[in-house]
């Protein structure tokens, strides 16, 4: 099973991908996570991507498709892939088809998380995670039960993404609308798109995704 989670920044792609990994043993292929790791490790890709990501613009198609190629090459055949934040442009959608064919895989579903943009700005600008275990929090909607202490692992270190500012979020939304939303018709034509209400509770979104996977 290979699926794409598609939706604007803050739609819940990463959260749902994490749950799919935990519940179905699939592998999350998040180009955003791969790029952040490259920036941290100061690899050539990271050095090139850093400023682009801080502005909320798109990194080049060639770079992200090469990252996905490497990940697919390293994966076992029996493990399903969740594409999270990829493809984001028409060219990447074409590359993904080529990469799937190269690695003997088929795309089963595209799940579009439909969301309200103003609510997304609120979601994104308030979010932070535990620096140790990655548990997600929100300064207005989900604070740790004990202030400053992670509910899951008791760490007192938290972090925020550098690109989660209102200005960058607006740029990321514009990029999504202009370049990513237009790739949906490619998959609509194959009849593999399901729209899920991304504004619903996390559990309700997970249940809707599970229904799609079981179909
Ligand atoms: P994300 O974690 O998916 O929100 O991605 C964070 C940032 O990484 C984006 O705002 C882009 O700058 C860059 N990025 C991630 N995935 C892609 C992609 N598929 N194509 C181009 N840029 C990407």
């Amino acid at each position: 099973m290979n699926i794409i989670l598609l939706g604007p920044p803050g739609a819940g792609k990463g959260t749902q991908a994490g749950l799919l990994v935990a519940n179905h043993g699939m592998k999350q292929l998040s180009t955003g996570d791969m790029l952040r790791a490259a920036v941290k490790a100061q690899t050539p890709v990271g050095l090139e991507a850093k400023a682009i990501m801080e502005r909320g613009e798109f990194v080049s198609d060639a770079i992200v498709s090469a990252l996905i190629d490497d990940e697919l090459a390293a994966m076992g055949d029996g493990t399903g892939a969740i594409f999270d934040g990829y493809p984001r442009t028409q060219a990447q959608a074409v590359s993904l088809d080529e990469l799937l064919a190269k690695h003997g895989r088929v795309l089963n579903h595209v799940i579009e998380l439909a969301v309200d943009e103003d609510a997304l700005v609120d979601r994104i600008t308030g979010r932070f995670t535990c620096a140790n275990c990655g548990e997600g929090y929100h300064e207005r909607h989900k604070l740790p039960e004990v202030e400053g202490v992670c509910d899951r692992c008791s760490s007192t270190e938290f972090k925020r993404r550098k690109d989660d500012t209102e200005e960058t979020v607006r740029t990321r939304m514009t990029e999504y609308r202009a370049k990513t939303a237009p790739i949906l018709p490619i998959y609509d034509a194959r009849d593999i798109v399901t729209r899920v209400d991304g504004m619903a509770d996390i559990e309700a979104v997970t249940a809707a995704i599970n229904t799609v996977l079981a179909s």
Side-chain angles (χ1 to χ4, degrees), residues 9-10 13 30-33 35-36 49 52-61 64-65 84-89 92 127 161 163-164 168 172:
K13 301 186 295 292
S30 158
T31 41
D33 285 350
L35 289 167
R36 279 185 288 280
I52 301 172
M53 292 171 75
E54 282 174 8
R55 289 196 299 272
E57 294 166 9
F58 282 178
V59 173
S60 83
D61 293 329
V64 290
S65 293
D84 161 10
Y86 180 93
R88 262 175 154 103
T89 64
Q92 290 176 29
R127 70 184 179 182
R161 278 174 51 168
D163 59 349
D164 277 351
T168 308
R172 285 153 67 201

